[in-house]
Amino acid sequence: MVVTVNNIAYDLKHGLKTDIYYPNDTDSQTKILIFWHGGWFRGSKESIRDVAIDLANAGFMTFVPDYRLAPADHFPAAHEDALNFAAWLLASNYTDEDDENNIVQIGASSGGTLALKVAGMYGFPTVTWSAPVDFSSWLADHQEVKPSVNAKEELGLTKQQAINEAFYKYFVLTYVGSEDSDLLADLDAQSYDYTKLGRLLMLNSAAELTDLAGVTDFAGRLAVRGHQVDLEIIPGNGHAMDYGRDYLRESMTYLNYALSLKTGSE
């Protein structure tokens, strides 16, 4: 049986909370996992409940934080919240002094982008499911695309690629709040600080919201800078949570291995 504690405040100023899912045999050696839900303009920690229970049953003390959403709060609000949560967690009673080496992450969709930001600053081994990474150059190359959260109904589009592109542009601009090129460049994942980046597994389907060129370029740039990045392209056209449950075991295996390398317990 998994014990769940809901709505633990981690940022009183912004009213942000986290849910925690405890495995049965929690002790000081229990591995800690942060799961970042996707959205930036929608989504919630409650939507991850079933996955979090699976993770807790597999032995991870699992935290699912919420974060500020657009359009009420624009970039870099969610990114700041992710970093603030990591700092709060390490200073909280839920972690011991040396637990920075015992924390891992999974991020779905734009939650994966937040996980990248945290991974670069804290070194937590990380798995991303369909993390968007390329914003400024993509928008520059797709100026003709009209942003829409539901382009099939709103714009009458029928081709899936066109629908996906309209949605991608919508959620990026909704979070950024403008088409300011400097802000978009700051949002690009390649602009983050990766001084402490540890092991990283990026999962993407063969047909994502956008083509995979941005992801492969990003992974290559990290590798050139000396970082260990594992990029896996899986069959199909799903995005993030569409396939995440099917790759949960693989994600956990990767994170367990990364922790063993980090702690020398292999």
Coordinates of all heavy atoms in Angstrom, one line a residue, residues 103-163:
I103 N 18.6 11.8 -5.3 CA 17.4 12.3 -5.9 C 17.5 12.2 -7.4 O 18.6 12.4 -8.0 CB 17.3 13.8 -5.6 CG1 17.1 14.0 -4.1 CG2 16.0 14.4 -6.3 CD1 17.1 15.4 -3.6
V104 N 16.4 11.8 -8.1 CA 16.3 11.6 -9.5 C 15.0 12.3 -10.0 O 14.2 12.8 -9.2 CB 16.3 10.2 -10.0 CG1 17.6 9.5 -9.6 CG2 15.1 9.4 -9.3
Q105 N 14.9 12.5 -11.3 CA 13.8 13.2 -11.9 C 13.2 12.5 -13.1 O 13.9 11.8 -13.8 CB 14.1 14.6 -12.3 CG 14.7 15.5 -11.3 CD 15.0 16.9 -12.0 OE1 14.3 17.8 -11.8 NE2 16.0 16.9 -12.8
I106 N 11.9 12.6 -13.3 CA 11.3 12.3 -14.6 C 10.4 13.6 -14.9 O 9.7 14.1 -14.1 CB 10.4 11.1 -14.5 CG1 11.2 9.8 -14.2 CG2 9.6 10.9 -15.9 CD1 10.4 8.6 -14.1
G107 N 10.5 14.0 -16.2 CA 9.7 15.1 -16.6 C 9.0 14.8 -17.9 O 9.6 14.3 -18.8
A108 N 7.7 15.1 -17.9 CA 6.8 14.8 -19.1 C 6.5 16.0 -19.9 O 6.1 17.0 -19.3 CB 5.5 14.1 -18.7
S109 N 6.8 16.0 -21.2 CA 6.5 17.1 -22.0 C 7.3 18.4 -21.5 O 8.4 18.3 -21.2 CB 5.0 17.4 -22.2 OG 4.7 18.3 -23.2
S110 N 6.6 19.5 -21.4 CA 7.3 20.7 -20.9 C 7.8 20.5 -19.5 O 8.7 21.3 -19.0 CB 6.4 21.9 -21.0 OG 5.1 21.7 -20.4
G111 N 7.2 19.6 -18.7 CA 7.8 19.2 -17.4 C 9.2 18.7 -17.6 O 10.0 18.8 -16.7
G112 N 9.4 18.0 -18.7 CA 10.8 17.6 -19.0 C 11.8 18.7 -19.2 O 12.9 18.6 -18.9
T113 N 11.3 19.8 -19.8 CA 12.1 21.0 -20.0 C 12.5 21.6 -18.6 O 13.6 22.0 -18.4 CB 11.4 22.1 -20.8 OG1 10.8 21.4 -22.0 CG2 12.3 23.1 -21.3
L114 N 11.5 21.6 -17.7 CA 11.8 22.1 -16.3 C 12.8 21.1 -15.7 O 13.7 21.6 -15.0 CB 10.5 22.1 -15.5 CG 9.4 23.0 -16.0 CD1 8.2 23.0 -15.0 CD2 9.9 24.5 -16.1
A115 N 12.7 19.8 -15.9 CA 13.6 18.9 -15.3 C 15.0 19.1 -15.8 O 16.0 19.0 -15.1 CB 13.2 17.5 -15.6
L116 N 15.2 19.5 -17.1 CA 16.5 19.8 -17.7 C 17.1 21.0 -16.9 O 18.3 21.0 -16.6 CB 16.4 20.1 -19.1 CG 16.1 19.0 -20.1 CD1 15.8 19.5 -21.5 CD2 17.2 18.0 -20.1
K117 N 16.3 22.0 -16.7 CA 16.8 23.2 -15.9 C 17.3 22.8 -14.6 O 18.4 23.2 -14.1 CB 15.6 24.2 -15.8 CG 16.0 25.5 -15.1 CD 16.9 26.4 -15.9 CE 17.1 27.8 -15.3 NZ 18.0 28.6 -16.1
V118 N 16.5 22.0 -13.9 CA 17.0 21.5 -12.5 C 18.2 20.6 -12.6 O 19.1 20.7 -11.8 CB 15.8 20.8 -11.8 CG1 16.2 20.2 -10.5 CG2 14.6 21.8 -11.6
A119 N 18.2 19.7 -13.6 CA 19.3 18.8 -13.7 C 20.6 19.5 -13.9 O 21.7 19.1 -13.4 CB 19.1 17.8 -14.9
G120 N 20.6 20.6 -14.7 CA 21.8 21.3 -14.9 C 22.4 22.0 -13.7 O 23.6 22.1 -13.5
M121 N 21.5 22.4 -12.8 CA 21.9 23.1 -11.6 C 22.2 22.2 -10.4 O 23.0 22.5 -9.6 CB 20.8 24.1 -11.2 CG 20.4 25.1 -12.2 SD 21.8 26.3 -12.5 CE 21.7 27.3 -11.0
Y122 N 21.6 21.0 -10.4 CA 21.7 20.1 -9.2 C 22.3 18.8 -9.5 O 22.7 18.1 -8.6 CB 20.3 19.9 -8.6 CG 19.8 21.1 -7.8 CD1 19.0 22.1 -8.4 CD2 20.2 21.3 -6.5 CE1 18.6 23.2 -7.7 CE2 19.8 22.4 -5.7 CZ 19.0 23.4 -6.4 OH 18.5 24.5 -5.7
G123 N 22.4 18.4 -10.8 CA 23.0 17.1 -11.1 C 22.2 15.9 -10.9 O 22.7 14.8 -10.9
F124 N 20.9 16.1 -10.6 CA 20.0 14.9 -10.4 C 19.9 14.1 -11.7 O 19.6 14.7 -12.8 CB 18.6 15.3 -10.0 CG 18.5 16.2 -8.8 CD1 17.5 17.1 -8.7 CD2 19.4 16.1 -7.8 CE1 17.4 17.9 -7.6 CE2 19.3 16.9 -6.7 CZ 18.3 17.8 -6.6
P125 N 20.2 12.8 -11.7 CA 19.9 12.0 -12.9 C 18.5 12.1 -13.4 O 17.5 12.2 -12.5 CB 20.2 10.5 -12.4 CG 21.1 10.7 -11.3 CD 20.7 12.0 -10.6
T126 N 18.3 12.2 -14.7 CA 17.0 12.7 -15.2 C 16.6 11.9 -16.4 O 17.4 11.6 -17.3 CB 17.1 14.2 -15.5 OG1 17.3 14.9 -14.3 CG2 15.8 14.7 -16.2
V127 N 15.3 11.6 -16.5 CA 14.7 11.1 -17.7 C 13.6 12.0 -18.2 O 12.8 12.5 -17.4 CB 14.0 9.7 -17.4 CG1 13.3 9.2 -18.7 CG2 15.1 8.7 -17.0
T128 N 13.6 12.4 -19.5 CA 12.6 13.2 -20.0 C 11.7 12.4 -21.0 O 12.3 11.6 -21.8 CB 13.2 14.5 -20.7 OG1 14.0 14.1 -21.8 CG2 14.0 15.3 -19.7
W129 N 10.5 12.7 -21.0 CA 9.5 12.1 -22.0 C 9.1 13.3 -22.9 O 8.3 14.1 -22.4 CB 8.3 11.5 -21.3 CG 8.7 10.3 -20.4 CD1 9.8 9.6 -20.3 CD2 7.8 9.8 -19.4 NE1 9.7 8.7 -19.3 CE2 8.5 8.7 -18.7 CE3 6.5 10.0 -18.9 CZ2 7.9 8.0 -17.7 CZ3 5.9 9.3 -17.9 CH2 6.6 8.3 -17.3
S130 N 9.6 13.3 -24.1 CA 9.1 14.3 -25.1 C 9.4 15.7 -24.6 O 8.5 16.6 -24.8 CB 7.6 14.1 -25.4 OG 7.4 12.9 -25.9
A131 N 10.5 16.0 -24.0 CA 10.8 17.4 -23.5 C 11.0 18.3 -24.7 O 11.9 18.1 -25.6 CB 12.0 17.4 -22.7
P132 N 10.2 19.4 -24.9 CA 10.5 20.4 -25.9 C 11.8 21.1 -25.5 O 12.0 21.5 -24.4 CB 9.3 21.3 -25.8 CG 8.3 20.6 -25.1 CD 9.0 19.7 -24.1
V133 N 12.7 21.4 -26.5 CA 14.0 22.0 -26.2 C 14.3 23.2 -27.1 O 15.1 24.0 -26.8 CB 15.1 21.0 -26.3 CG1 15.0 19.9 -25.2 CG2 15.2 20.3 -27.7
D134 N 13.6 23.3 -28.3 CA 13.9 24.3 -29.3 C 12.7 25.2 -29.5 O 11.6 24.7 -29.9 CB 14.3 23.6 -30.6 CG 14.6 24.5 -31.7 OD1 15.0 25.7 -31.4 OD2 14.4 24.2 -32.9
F135 N 12.9 26.5 -29.2 CA 11.8 27.4 -29.3 C 12.1 28.6 -30.2 O 11.3 28.9 -31.1 CB 11.4 27.9 -27.8 CG 11.2 26.8 -26.9 CD1 12.2 26.4 -25.9 CD2 10.0 26.1 -26.9 CE1 11.9 25.4 -25.1 CE2 9.8 25.0 -26.0 CZ 10.8 24.7 -25.1
S136 N 13.2 29.3 -30.0 CA 13.5 30.5 -30.8 C 13.6 30.2 -32.2 O 13.0 30.8 -33.1 CB 14.7 31.2 -30.2 OG 15.9 30.4 -30.3
S137 N 14.5 29.2 -32.6 CA 14.7 28.9 -34.0 C 13.5 28.3 -34.6 O 13.1 28.5 -35.8 CB 15.9 28.0 -34.2 OG 15.7 26.8 -33.6
W138 N 12.7 27.5 -33.9 CA 11.5 26.8 -34.4 C 10.5 27.9 -34.8 O 9.9 27.9 -35.8 CB 10.9 25.8 -33.4 CG 9.8 25.0 -34.0 CD1 9.9 23.8 -34.6 CD2 8.4 25.4 -34.1 NE1 8.7 23.4 -35.1 CE2 7.8 24.3 -34.8 CE3 7.7 26.5 -33.6 CZ2 6.4 24.4 -35.0 CZ3 6.3 26.5 -33.8 CH2 5.7 25.4 -34.5
L139 N 10.3 28.8 -33.8 CA 9.3 29.9 -34.1 C 9.7 30.8 -35.3 O 8.9 31.2 -36.1 CB 9.0 30.7 -32.9 CG 7.8 30.3 -32.1 CD1 8.0 29.0 -31.4 CD2 7.4 31.4 -31.1
A140 N 11.0 31.0 -35.4 CA 11.5 31.8 -36.5 C 11.3 31.1 -37.8 O 11.0 31.8 -38.9 CB 13.0 32.1 -36.3
D141 N 11.4 29.8 -37.8 CA 11.2 29.0 -39.1 C 9.7 28.7 -39.3 O 9.4 28.1 -40.4 CB 11.9 27.7 -39.0 CG 13.4 27.9 -39.0 OD1 13.9 29.0 -39.4 OD2 14.2 27.0 -38.5
H142 N 8.8 29.1 -38.4 CA 7.4 28.7 -38.6 C 6.5 30.0 -38.4 O 5.5 29.9 -37.7 CB 7.0 27.6 -37.6 CG 7.6 26.3 -37.9 ND1 8.9 26.0 -37.5 CD2 7.2 25.2 -38.6 CE1 9.3 24.8 -38.0 NE2 8.2 24.3 -38.6
Q143 N 6.9 31.1 -38.9 CA 6.1 32.3 -38.7 C 4.7 32.2 -39.3 O 3.8 32.9 -38.9 CB 6.9 33.5 -39.3 CG 8.2 33.7 -38.6 CD 9.0 35.0 -39.1 OE1 8.3 35.9 -39.7 NE2 10.3 35.0 -38.9
E144 N 4.6 31.3 -40.3 CA 3.3 31.3 -41.0 C 2.2 30.4 -40.2 O 1.0 30.5 -40.4 CB 3.4 30.6 -42.4 CG 3.6 29.1 -42.4 CD 5.0 28.6 -41.9 OE1 5.8 29.5 -41.7 OE2 5.2 27.4 -41.7
V145 N 2.7 29.7 -39.2 CA 1.8 28.9 -38.3 C 1.0 29.8 -37.4 O 1.5 30.7 -36.7 CB 2.6 27.9 -37.5 CG1 1.7 27.1 -36.5 CG2 3.3 26.9 -38.4
K146 N -0.3 29.5 -37.4 CA -1.2 30.3 -36.5 C -1.3 29.4 -35.2 O -1.6 28.3 -35.2 CB -2.6 30.5 -37.1 CG -2.6 31.4 -38.3 CD -4.0 31.6 -38.8 CE -4.0 32.6 -40.0 NZ -5.4 32.8 -40.5
P147 N -1.1 30.1 -34.0 CA -1.2 29.3 -32.7 C -2.6 29.0 -32.4 O -3.5 29.8 -32.6 CB -0.6 30.3 -31.7 CG -0.8 31.6 -32.3 CD -0.7 31.5 -33.8
S148 N -2.8 27.7 -32.0 CA -4.1 27.3 -31.6 C -4.0 26.1 -30.7 O -3.3 25.2 -30.9 CB -5.0 26.9 -32.8 OG -6.2 26.3 -32.5
V149 N -4.8 26.1 -29.6 CA -4.9 25.0 -28.7 C -5.6 23.8 -29.3 O -5.4 22.6 -28.9 CB -5.5 25.4 -27.3 CG1 -6.9 25.7 -27.4 CG2 -5.2 24.4 -26.2
N150 N -6.5 24.1 -30.2 CA -7.3 23.0 -30.9 C -7.5 23.4 -32.3 O -8.6 23.9 -32.7 CB -8.6 22.8 -30.1 CG -9.4 21.6 -30.7 OD1 -9.0 21.0 -31.7 ND2 -10.5 21.2 -30.0
A151 N -6.5 23.3 -33.1 CA -6.5 23.8 -34.5 C -7.5 23.0 -35.4 O -7.9 23.6 -36.4 CB -5.1 23.7 -35.1
K152 N -7.8 21.8 -35.0 CA -8.7 21.1 -35.9 C -10.1 21.8 -35.9 O -10.7 22.0 -36.9 CB -8.9 19.6 -35.4 CG -9.8 18.8 -36.2 CD -9.8 17.3 -35.8 CE -10.6 16.5 -36.6 NZ -10.6 15.0 -36.2
E153 N -10.6 22.2 -34.7 CA -11.8 22.9 -34.6 C -11.7 24.4 -34.8 O -12.6 25.0 -35.5 CB -12.5 22.6 -33.2 CG -12.8 21.1 -33.0 CD -13.6 20.9 -31.7 OE1 -13.8 21.9 -31.0 OE2 -13.8 19.8 -31.3
E154 N -10.7 25.0 -34.3 CA -10.6 26.4 -34.4 C -10.1 26.9 -35.7 O -10.6 28.0 -36.2 CB -9.6 26.9 -33.3 CG -10.1 26.7 -31.9 CD -9.0 27.1 -30.8 OE1 -7.9 27.4 -31.2 OE2 -9.3 27.0 -29.6
L155 N -9.2 26.2 -36.4 CA -8.7 26.6 -37.7 C -9.1 25.7 -38.8 O -8.8 26.0 -40.0 CB -7.1 26.7 -37.6 CG -6.6 27.6 -36.5 CD1 -5.0 27.5 -36.5 CD2 -7.0 29.0 -36.7
G156 N -9.8 24.6 -38.5 CA -10.2 23.7 -39.6 C -9.1 22.9 -40.2 O -9.2 22.4 -41.3
L157 N -8.0 22.7 -39.5 CA -6.9 22.0 -40.0 C -7.2 20.5 -39.9 O -7.8 20.0 -38.9 CB -5.6 22.3 -39.2 CG -5.1 23.7 -39.2 CD1 -3.8 23.9 -38.5 CD2 -4.9 24.2 -40.7
T158 N -6.7 19.7 -40.8 CA -6.9 18.3 -40.8 C -5.7 17.4 -40.8 O -5.7 16.3 -40.3 CB -7.7 17.9 -42.1 OG1 -6.9 18.3 -43.3 CG2 -9.1 18.5 -42.1
K159 N -4.5 17.9 -41.2 CA -3.3 17.2 -41.1 C -2.7 17.3 -39.7 O -2.6 18.3 -39.2 CB -2.3 17.7 -42.2 CG -2.7 17.5 -43.6 CD -1.6 18.0 -44.6 CE -2.0 17.7 -46.0 NZ -1.0 18.2 -47.0
Q160 N -2.3 16.1 -39.2 CA -1.9 16.0 -37.8 C -0.6 16.9 -37.6 O -0.5 17.5 -36.5 CB -1.6 14.6 -37.4 CG -1.3 14.4 -35.9 CD -2.5 14.8 -35.1 OE1 -3.7 14.4 -35.4 NE2 -2.3 15.7 -34.1
Q161 N 0.3 16.9 -38.5 CA 1.5 17.8 -38.4 C 1.1 19.2 -38.2 O 1.7 19.9 -37.4 CB 2.4 17.6 -39.5 CG 3.7 18.4 -39.4 CD 4.7 18.2 -40.6 OE1 4.5 17.4 -41.4 NE2 5.7 19.0 -40.6
A162 N 0.2 19.7 -39.0 CA -0.2 21.1 -38.9 C -0.9 21.4 -37.6 O -0.7 22.4 -37.0 CB -1.2 21.4 -40.1
I163 N -1.7 20.4 -37.1 CA -2.4 20.6 -35.8 C -1.4 20.6 -34.7 O -1.5 21.5 -33.8 CB -3.4 19.4 -35.6 CG1 -4.5 19.5 -36.6 CG2 -3.9 19.4 -34.2 CD1 -5.4 18.3 -36.7

